[in-house]
Amino acid sequence: MQPLHVLVVEDDAMIGAVLAEMLTEMGHAVDGIESTEATAIAAAYRLKPHLMIVDVGLVEGSGVAAMEAILRVGPQPHVFMSGDVSKVRVLRPGAVTLQKPFREPDLVNAWVVSDAYRRRDPAPTVQGIGPTGPRITEQREIP
């Protein structure tokens, strides 16, 4: 099984750590946790992750603005997360979003929709995604 390489953009250290732990336990590689717009952009260019999970509201900058800058260079599968996804839907209609709090099945569904799985493998077989859909064994929640 080949893991997804994920970049997490989250300014709350606890949420970033819990999300990274969840992804790692699912068999994926968390290549970094960034907390600002500027560091998210730099890390995306440097790491070229399979998937970015991006908090909309950052203390320094905006996750939406970071993704706009990254997408000007080329495609980048991503999922926005927020306590209020309605703001994201206004700024980025059609964006893939996760409403906080969310659980592991919500995360799996969001990354499937984001096309991250297609970017790395045309026939994905990773823990959490299989030929019959998500296989979730634990119901943890991201605050």
Side-chain angles (χ1 to χ4, degrees), residues 9-31:
V9 181
E10 171 60 64
D11 60 355
D12 183 310
M14 182 188 79
I15 293 173
V18 170
L19 182 54
E21 179 182 355
M22 178 188 290
L23 289 161
T24 301
E25 288 176 2
M26 293 170 70
H28 305 295
V30 176
D31 294 341

Side-chain angles (χ1 to χ4, degrees), residues 14-94:
M14 182 188 79
I15 293 173
V18 170
L19 182 54
E21 179 182 355
M22 178 188 290
L23 289 161
T24 301
E25 288 176 2
M26 293 170 70
H28 305 295
V30 176
D31 294 341
I33 303 173
E34 301 299 335
S35 61
T36 70
E37 179 180 329
T39 60
I41 294 167
Y45 293 157
R46 185 178 72 251
L47 300 170
K48 298 177 181 32
H50 296 132
L51 175 67
M52 290 180 67
I53 302 174
V54 183
D55 187 17
V56 172
L58 302 172
V59 173
E60 292 182 38
S62 157
V64 174
M67 285 312 307
E68 287 172 351
I70 293 162
L71 292 170
R72 279 193 289 273
V73 174
Q76 173 59 62
H78 62 283
V79 174
F80 287 115
M81 60 180 171
S82 177
D84 182 6
V85 295
S86 65
K87 294 177 185 177
V88 180
R89 291 183 181 139
V90 169
L91 296 170
R92 297 280 311 221

Side-chain angles (χ1 to χ4, degrees), residues 104-121:
E104 194 171 307
D106 304 318
L107 176 60
V108 170
N109 290 333
W111 88 51
V112 168
V113 172
S114 77
D115 285 338
Y117 72 103
R118 283 192 209 146
R119 181 178 160 146
R120 68 169 232 343
D121 185 353

